[in-house]
Amino acid sequence: MISIQNLTKVYDGASGGTHALRDVSLEIPDGDIFGIIGISGAGKSTLVRCVNLLEQPTSGHIVVDGTDVTTLSGAELRAFRYRTAMIFQGFGLLAQKTALENVCFPLATGIGRLPEGARDKGLELLGRVGLADKADSYPAQLSGGQKQRVAIARALACDPTTILCDEATSALDPASTEQVLDLLAKINQETGVTMLVITHSMDVVRRICKHVAVLVGGEVVERGATQEIFQNPQHKVTKALLGKGDWNA
Amino acid sequence: MLSGWGDFVAEYSGLLTTGMLDTLAMLFVSTGIAYVFGTVLGVVLYLTSPIGLKPHRVFNGILGWIINMARSIPFIILLVALMPTTRALVHTTTGVVGVTPPLVASATPFVARMIEQSLAEVPRDTLESVVSFGASMPRIVLGALLPEALPSIVRGISITLISVLGYTAIAGAVGAGGLGDIAIRYGYYRYEDEVMVVTVVLLVVLVQIIQTVCDLIAKRIDHR
Ligand SMILES: Nc1ncnc2c1ncn2[C@@H]1O[C@H](COP(=O)(O)OP(=O)(O)O)[C@@H](O)[C@H]1O
Ligand SMILES: [Mg+2]
């Protein structure tokens, strides 16, 4: 379980600080697909990036399976990150490496040697995302949807317990979006991996999330099972995101 | 006319060949050594910069300042100022060997900035993805950062080689040998214009070859 406790993040800036997150608390059960929705600037990326400590929280705690990860550093932090995969809006693939090399990259040792069987595992994962024939292609030769599927295969290479998705489908066309969402749902079902899905699209939430929290101005204003939120939205932003209200109401 | 050309070749081909070999030796040895030191410095500069993975304002500021200082010293002055150090290091201050330390000292800060620049071109997303699955710092630098920046680094190598080639000509003026030395000795002191012209043509051709080869390699290894 991921337990986010009183998380606050302030970015230092020239004109004082930006309060990106204010006292956010969330519980994400094991095996869940948990959506975090909000408009641009709501603090979604900041929240997800605090979970694997790409951003250092200003205050608060993130407890994963009983360990407060905000105190981790060095090898312990790296081991935690290894188990916590991340998928980016911009894919984050290495442009000078083939699809297979990208997938195998996390498996390599400190000096870059691939352990026994890593190549086979990489090929198997590429097969799982439907890209067995693209093993030797470079990212530039792949479509957006294919790149994101390579990124998903790479995320799976470390047998993660959690996958963090930051707007994973926002750069994709509707058909690729569908394909990637189906793939994520299937992976969740087959492996029981916990997923934290950041999005600005209610459609994404409706399609794959079991639970959802609505973030407004760095605060959680509403949370619950997806079905409940869709049937009975309370906050005006939730209603507006669902197209049931007016943004200015 | 033709026999004149034949005479010219007979008289000067040995001189020009030696000059070319000296120039190439100075150029590639000093640039090679400068890339060893400069790459390390460039990586440290990049990592400690505000956009790097280990931002450190004070350290980065001091290192940047030292590098700018070294870059602002004119080569001929650096060459003279380093003479005691050069003598201690390689037991001579003339010839190809004697001019290598000042060439390295002059090219290293230049290389450091080129490398820093190339690394800064690697997209943030790419770098963060590597960090996000728990890669160690050596792995990030050697496995991802430098390989991703390699085509840009290779393009930088041609710029470095061509500017070091300019320095080798200056070094020629203080007796380092090479094509620059020949151009000055024959063209400037002895008024033998043909030798000077041929030397300059050779330098022009060399620059074109360096540029073309580096561009070709950069294109070959770039998969973007
Ligand atoms: N590195 C940063 N430095 C300063 N401010 C930032 C930084 N990253 C995000 N912010 C600010 O924090 C707020 C939340 O940003 P973000 O988490 O990216 O929102 P979202 O992903 O929901 O669009 C915004 O006001 C944004 O400008
Ligand atoms: Mg965002």
Side-chain angles (χ1 to χ4, degrees), chain B residues 139-155:
Chain B
R139 179 95 180 103
I140 294 169
V141 173
L142 299 174
L145 203 50
L146 287 170
E148 286 296 295
L150 195 58
S152 165
I153 290 173
V154 171
R155 284 188 198 98

Side-chain angles (χ1 to χ4, degrees), chain B residues 14 69 93 124 128 139 143 155 162 168 203 214 220-221:
Chain B
M69 276 274 294
T93 58
R124 186 84 201 164
E128 280 189 336
R139 179 95 180 103
R155 284 188 198 98
I162 290 164
T168 68
L203 286 170
C214 286
R220 274 293 284 277
I221 61 173

Side-chain angles (χ1 to χ4, degrees), chain A residues 11 18 20 39-46:
Chain A
Y11 289 107
T18 308
I39 58 168
S40 179
K44 308 180 296 290
S45 295
T46 304

Side-chain angles (χ1 to χ4, degrees), chain A residues 31-180:
Chain A
D32 202 7
I33 302 186
F34 194 105
I36 293 176
I37 189 163
I39 58 168
S40 179
K44 308 180 296 290
S45 295
T46 304
L47 177 58
V48 78
R49 291 162 59 82
C50 279
V51 173
N52 64 356
L53 273 84
L54 284 182
E55 299 291 353
Q56 192 67 42
T58 307
S59 66
H61 299 278
I62 294 160
V63 180
V64 179
D65 300 330
T67 308
D68 184 353
V69 299
T70 54
T71 62
L72 297 180
S73 64
E76 280 180 332
L77 175 58
R78 290 205 306 274
F80 166 67
R81 282 178 172 160
Y82 185 84
R83 287 179 271 119
T84 311
M86 190 163 194
I87 295 167
F88 298 80
Q89 178 174 356
F91 320 120
L93 296 176
L94 297 161
Q96 308 298 349
K97 293 193 171 10
T98 63
L100 182 60
E101 288 167 345
N102 267 286
V103 173
C104 292
F105 191 93
L107 297 172
T109 60
I111 55 164
R113 275 257 305 267
L114 279 183
E116 187 98 23
R119 225 187 107 84
D120 291 337
K121 185 175 186 185
L123 284 170
E124 186 224 302
L125 287 168
L126 279 173
R128 217 156 127 195
V129 300
L131 293 173
D133 55 332
K134 299 289 184 192
D136 295 323
S137 299
Y138 288 91
Q141 300 164 319
L142 302 174
S143 72
Q146 290 172 331
K147 282 184 216 173
Q148 197 59 296
R149 282 188 279 151
V150 172
I152 292 171
R154 176 175 66 176
L156 293 174
C158 311
D159 299 315
T161 53
T162 309
I163 299 180
L164 310 171
C165 305
D166 188 359
E167 305 271 12
T169 56
S170 297
L172 305 180
D173 60 76
S176 304
T177 297
E178 191 130 327
Q179 209 172 20
V180 164

Side-chain angles (χ1 to χ4, degrees), chain B residues 15-16 18-20 22-23 26 94-96 99 165-190 195-196 199-200 203:
Chain B
L15 177 80
L16 290 170
T18 312
M20 179 59 104
D22 283 352
T23 290
M26 277 190 276
T94 56
V96 171
V99 86
L165 184 62
Y167 295 153
T168 68
I170 301 174
V174 296
L179 292 176
D181 185 26
I182 294 171
I184 290 163
R185 268 194 289 140
Y186 287 78
Y188 189 68
Y189 293 120
R190 295 204 208 160
V195 182
M196 189 189 67
T199 313
V200 171
L203 286 170

